[in-house]
Amino acid sequence: MRASLGPVPPTPKDSPGLAVYGYWEERPGGGSPRKRDFMPAARAGEQRRALARRARALSGALGVLMLCASGCGRRPNASGDAPAAWGGTPQMAALLARIARTTQPADIPFYLNAGRARILRAEMERAPTLEAKAPLWLQHAIELLNAGETRGAQESLAELERTLRSREPFLWEQMGLEVATWRAVASLREGEEANCCAVNTAESCLLPITGGGVHRRQEGSRRAMAILQRILRKHPGDLRARWLLSIAAMTLGRYPDGVPARWRIPPAAFASEHPFLRFPNVAPRLGLAIRGLSGGCVADDLNGDGLLDLMVSSMGLPDQLRLFLNRGDGRFQEWTQQAGLAGETGGLNLMPADYDNDGDLDVMVLRGGWMGKAGRFPCSLLRNEGGARFVDVTGSAGLLRAGPTQAAAWLDYDLDGLLDLFLAFESGPHGAHPCALYRNLGNGAFADVAHRAGVALTGYVKAAVAADYDNDGDPDLFLSRLEEGGARNVLYRNDGNGTFVDVAEAAGIRGPRFSFPAAFFDYDNDGWTDLFVCGFNVSTLAEVAADYLGRPQGGERPRLYRNNRDGTFTDVTRQAGLDRLILGMGINVGDLDNDGWLDLYVGTGNPSLDMVIPNRMFRNDGGRRFQEVTTAGGFGHLQKGHGIAFADLNNDGQQDVFAQMGGANFSDVAYSALFANPGHRGRWLVLRLEGARTNRGAMGARIRVTARTPRGRRTLHRTVGTGGSFGANPLRAEIGLGSADAVERVEVYWPVTRRLEQFTGLWPDRRYHLREGTGRAVEEHVPSFRWPSP
């Protein structure tokens, strides 16, 4: 049996902490999963009783949290000593469990869909006329589908259709297309639940669906095809129906020939633009097909053994944060309980950093994003005590603050060798939550200096990424915003005196107006950081289909800004081949083929269950254009994509790609994927930097590699960091060298000392540890392994 994460909804009968110890265990051969505990029943009961006592003792916990929204981020006392009253992980677990139990369905736009369906049902029953009742009826059926009540949703939609046809033909003409489309979506969900969810395979949900991805139980998809064909007979131009019809046919093994040409999305629309080796999804055979909702991921060495581990979150209120240790032989061992993480639930994003400079990677868990009024969750700062054992130090660090967020950035803004934390919040009709800049005091505590630094922005911020874009030595900040009416994004230039100024307009960064994930990276390898930011304003699936067909549409497109090296940027989206409707939620960058150019993977979608679109991979063609290689490489997963990490998980010198999958609605759970690199000819170099006066993890340090190739010298540029804004690459620099046959030198710019240090004596296809101030590159030897055969 495979244990995999899934939402375990709290009920009024649950004692505090009951749900947070649960996970779903899949039954052999499919069927409904059953709930299990992470620990033996006796111990679990003891833990729950302890949490219950602590929860009762914390009778004012929610009030304290609300107070912390305005005060806990400040310096705790005049001496700067960290607060001592914080109860650590058990206290955070009790607080999270209590908030989860008291969250009301009316206050959250998703997840608590069953409760929202009950509210809509009551409104339906009060509606005075069928005309007033019908829209509520449709929304109620959609909420049932979101809640996982697929059969109930199908029956409700069928009854709505019969009622409107017989009693209100005119109203049916107005609503019929939408009702019929959702009947098809419900049938597709039935097929997905009976196949992809019950029996997840390496080929499940990969566009175009073939082989092991074809459904064995085909009733749902057959019904969907019949409904969609009826729609298209009446509405032949309906692109949403055309798209879903092609997807349904794929799940039955009937694409493309089983779809009439006039209704088909042609295979050419999905064709890759460059030949590419296929990356098989090995997650199912490694026990890494982790079932959950949208969340974040960290791929890094969390226990100090030189192997890259995986930490994965899921945003469901009681969903357990999970840790998997890399055993170096193709196996990953779940380490959640041993790591002290039990009760750390939820989390839409994870941001790692060694904030205390002790050599162990710590993790910030971000919560409440998209949740509106219900998003008043605290984040968690998890301090790594060594050996991948964590303790929650949020309160003692002065970071206990309530507010919806999924965006943060670690940066040493004042260049004192200590990593500071920029924490972005989502403000709107549900409340104002100014962004925070927490200065690291060096004693385990932080102080919010956002107002003094000029970065206390109040807006709906969806991404925060840091980089020294102007190469003046100190890190700057970019913030993407997603607000009603469209809001200008923000580029905060660090003026080096503890303050920032917004220069987005002068820098030429004007869009997208509705934006989401972002990444600073040097796509053209000239030593100056460029910026990619995704648009996130698509009204319907039809707009995505139109873009694939090359037709005009009105959705928000991404932007790629090339750094002009003078403080300004040029929009090169069209020239670079990225002028497409991508609808990104998670993005990250890495070098798939070790050619020395950074490629781009985008996790796509939105919460609606009809938004069945592939995640997309773009190969960097020498800093000129990005070529789509989604289908050739096998990256086109149709589930919602969120946390993305490029990481050489088996230490063979080739970067793999881990993708955390899942949606926002209760039923929209999915399995994560690990796309294993099949191997490329490009040479490689791995550098693990350690700061002495610079922060120990060397975040923000710039690397310049000079290599010799058969065609002459080549220079490669990298910056130490975790990549994009949703998902975390390892801090070690995994650098493709292309055809290089020698490494002449490596130069590292250390931000605090502003010194350019040179290291020599390095060779391709090896790993080195570079410590600031030593000038020596020490070769490291770590085990490598092959992925197990299917």
Side-chain angles (χ1 to χ4, degrees):
M1 291 187 234
R2 181 184 297 113
S4 56
L5 179 64
V8 184
T11 69
K13 295 181 180 178
D14 284 339
S15 59
L18 176 62
V20 301
Y21 289 99
Y23 63 90
W24 289 117
E25 183 177 72
E26 307 297 333
R27 295 179 185 270
S32 299
R34 56 187 173 187
K35 187 180 175 232
R36 290 294 193 191
D37 290 330
F38 275 116
M39 56 189 73
R43 185 177 174 196
E46 178 184 341
Q47 292 272 3
R48 289 194 287 265
R49 287 190 292 273
L51 284 177
R53 290 193 297 272
R54 184 174 293 275
R56 288 192 294 271
L58 295 171
S59 59
L62 287 177
V64 169
L65 186 58
M66 294 305 104
L67 178 62
C68 284
S70 60
C72 282
R74 298 173 183 168
R75 188 166 178 148
N77 53 50
S79 66
D81 295 332
W86 175 245
T89 306
Q91 183 168 349
M92 179 60 78
L95 183 56
L96 292 172
R98 182 170 180 177
I99 297 173
R101 289 197 315 276
T102 56
T103 298
Q104 298 300 311
D107 294 338
I108 186 170
F110 44 78
Y111 184 67
L112 296 181
N113 304 102
R116 293 169 61 82
R118 288 193 293 270
I119 294 171
L120 285 164
R121 181 76 183 186
E123 293 181 8
M124 283 171 53
E125 293 172 351
R126 292 195 298 268
T129 64
L130 182 56
E131 186 176 9
K133 181 179 181 177
L136 296 170
W137 192 336
L138 174 59
Q139 189 56 45
H140 172 260
I142 294 172
E143 286 292 0
L144 288 178
L145 188 63
N146 291 338
E149 298 291 338
T150 307
R151 182 60 58 82
Q154 290 173 322
E155 294 173 352
S156 182
L157 288 165
E159 184 183 356
L160 174 57
E161 179 173 338
R162 289 192 299 269
T163 301
L164 292 179
R165 281 183 180 275
S166 62
R167 294 174 50 189
E168 289 284 354
F170 178 74
L171 189 55
W172 169 249
E173 283 298 315
Q174 291 181 312
M175 295 183 60
L177 176 58
E178 195 68 11
V179 173
T181 301
W182 278 102
R183 287 192 66 190
V185 172
S187 296
L188 283 172
R189 289 292 298 174
E190 177 189 337
E192 184 178 345
E193 291 165 359
N195 294 275
C196 305
C197 295
V199 185
N200 183 55
T201 73
E203 297 174 285
S204 293
C205 296
L206 290 180
L207 184 82
I209 299 169
T210 58
V214 173
H215 289 184
R216 298 178 184 177
R217 299 178 60 180
Q218 299 189 344
E219 299 86 351
S221 290
R222 286 176 179 168
R223 190 181 308 111
M225 282 197 73
I227 296 170
L228 292 164
Q229 287 170 334
R230 287 199 298 270
I231 291 173
L232 288 166
R233 290 188 192 101
K234 185 173 183 179
H235 305 279
D238 190 303
L239 292 182
R240 180 165 64 157
R242 284 184 61 182
W243 180 275
L244 293 174
L245 180 63
S246 288
I247 299 297
M250 289 179 195
T251 66
L252 298 173
R254 295 169 54 186
Y255 176 87
D257 295 339
V259 181
R262 65 187 184 280
W263 296 337
R264 182 192 308 148
I265 304 295
F270 306 124
S272 288
E273 298 166 351
H274 183 80
F276 211 69
L277 296 177
R278 191 171 183 86
F279 284 56
N281 177 14
V282 299
R285 61 182 111 138
L286 297 179
L288 290 175
I290 306 160
R291 192 168 186 248
L293 298 173
S294 56
C297 66
V298 173
D300 215 316
D301 181 7
L302 294 171
N303 63 348
D305 63 357
L307 299 165
L308 298 183
D309 312 303
L310 285 166
M311 182 180 284
V312 182
S313 69
S314 173
M315 62 159 287
L317 305 189
D319 290 359
Q320 173 65 51
L321 180 66
R322 299 177 76 178
L323 173 61
F324 297 84
L325 296 186
N326 189 337
R327 289 308 181 193
D329 58 1
R331 295 178 302 138
F332 284 78
Q333 176 187 359
E334 177 146 12
W335 194 252
T336 304
Q337 179 187 336
Q338 299 93 319
L341 295 174
E344 292 285 348
T345 58
L348 190 52
N349 204 356
L350 303 174
M351 302 298 297
D354 182 7
Y355 81 92
D356 52 3
N357 284 341
D358 66 352
D360 300 307
L361 198 64
D362 315 296
V363 179
M364 189 76 181
V365 184
L366 307 178
R367 301 186 177 96
W370 297 110
M371 290 186 180
K373 186 178 179 181
R376 295 176 179 269
F377 281 79
C379 298
S380 284
L381 178 59
L382 303 177
R383 186 180 67 212
N384 191 337
E385 302 284 272
R389 290 175 171 83
F390 294 85
V391 60
D392 192 310
V393 297
T394 311
S396 58
L399 297 175
L400 189 63
R401 171 175 169 176
T405 179
Q406 60 157 60
W410 291 99
L411 71 163
D412 183 5
Y413 85 96
D414 53 0
L415 299 181
D416 63 354
L418 299 167
L419 286 174
D420 312 298
L421 175 67
F422 181 84
L423 190 56
F425 289 95
E426 299 170 1
S427 296
H430 53 271
H433 303 276
C435 295
L437 176 60
Y438 290 106
R439 181 172 179 266
N440 192 332
L441 302 179
N443 59 356
F446 292 78
D448 188 358
V449 297
H451 285 281
R452 186 164 72 240
V455 295
L457 174 73
T458 299
Y460 206 84
V461 182
K462 296 305 297 179
V465 288
D468 181 11
Y469 80 90
D470 51 3
N471 281 358
D472 67 350
D474 43 39
D476 313 293
L477 272 168
F478 173 80
L479 310 181
S480 79
R481 299 169 69 181
L482 181 65
E483 298 176 22
E484 191 69 30
R488 185 172 53 82
N489 296 325
V490 174
L491 178 62
Y492 281 127
R493 186 189 67 211
N494 189 335
D495 277 351
N497 58 3
T499 66
F500 294 76
V501 59
D502 180 10
V503 296
E505 190 71 25
I509 298 177
R510 299 177 175 85
R513 292 195 315 129
F514 299 89
S515 58
F516 189 178
F520 272 123
F521 71 109
D522 185 1
Y523 88 92
D524 55 358
N525 198 32
D526 65 351
W528 293 77
T529 299
D530 311 297
L531 175 66
F532 179 76
V533 55
C534 270
F536 198 72
N537 183 28
V538 175
S539 58
T540 71
L541 177 60
E543 289 184 324
V544 177
D547 193 63
Y548 270 88
L549 293 171
R551 299 183 182 183
Q553 45 70 39
E556 189 76 69
R557 294 172 180 263
R559 302 289 192 279
L560 177 64
Y561 293 106
R562 186 184 63 211
N563 196 321
N564 294 329
R565 312 184 196 184
D566 60 1
T568 68
F569 293 80
T570 297
D571 184 346
V572 295
T573 311
R574 184 176 296 275
Q575 301 95 298
L578 290 172
D579 188 29
R580 316 166 190 240
L581 196 63
I582 296 178
L583 195 61
M585 296 192 294
I587 58 175
N588 220 325
V589 297
D591 187 355
L592 294 173
D593 49 6
N594 278 345
D595 65 352
W597 302 96
L598 291 173
D599 310 307
L600 174 69
Y601 191 40
V602 184
T604 64
N606 70 19
S608 180
L609 291 181
D610 73 331
M611 191 61 71
V612 186
I613 59 177
N615 300 311
R616 302 174 75 172
M617 181 69 80
F618 298 95
R619 175 186 178 266
N620 188 337
D621 182 24
R624 297 178 293 271
R625 288 182 61 83
F626 285 85
Q627 303 162 324
E628 180 148 13
V629 294
T630 299
T631 52
F635 300 107
H637 209 295
L638 289 168
Q639 299 288 356
K640 312 290 196 299
H642 288 84
I644 307 293
F646 286 74
D648 179 13
L649 286 165
N650 62 342
N651 283 332
D652 66 351
Q654 313 280 333
Q655 283 193 319
D656 313 294
V657 181
F658 182 82
Q660 193 280 343
M661 305 284 186
N665 289 306
F666 182 85
S667 67
D668 203 6
V669 292
Y671 292 93
S672 55
L674 173 56
F675 299 108
N677 197 316
H680 292 80
R681 295 181 180 179
R683 310 293 293 275
W684 53 270
L685 181 68
V686 174
L687 303 175
R688 182 172 66 88
L689 273 59
E690 179 184 342
R693 293 183 60 187
T694 297
N695 68 88
R696 188 159 175 177
M699 290 185 78
R702 299 203 302 270
I703 300 169
R704 182 167 63 199
V705 178
T706 302
R708 188 176 66 243
T709 77
R711 296 184 178 182
R713 285 186 177 86
R714 182 183 184 189
T715 303
L716 298 157
H717 299 271
R718 295 291 185 272
T719 300
V720 178
T722 58
S725 57
F726 220 135
N729 293 347
L731 289 182
R732 71 186 193 186
E734 300 174 343
I735 305 170
L737 299 177
S739 61
D741 50 31
V743 176
E744 292 191 348
R745 63 183 175 274
V746 171
E747 297 163 287
V748 177
Y749 176 85
W750 301 100
V752 171
T753 62
R754 299 179 184 262
R755 178 187 174 195
L756 188 65
E757 186 173 13
Q758 183 169 293
F759 299 82
T760 57
L762 292 79
W763 295 89
D765 301 340
R766 299 188 187 180
R767 305 169 187 278
Y768 295 93
H769 175 209
L770 279 56
R771 190 171 190 276
E772 182 180 11
T774 66
R776 294 177 58 244
V778 178
E779 187 173 355
E780 295 188 321
H781 301 277
V782 294
S784 62
F785 57 90
R786 292 180 180 273
W787 298 115
S789 300

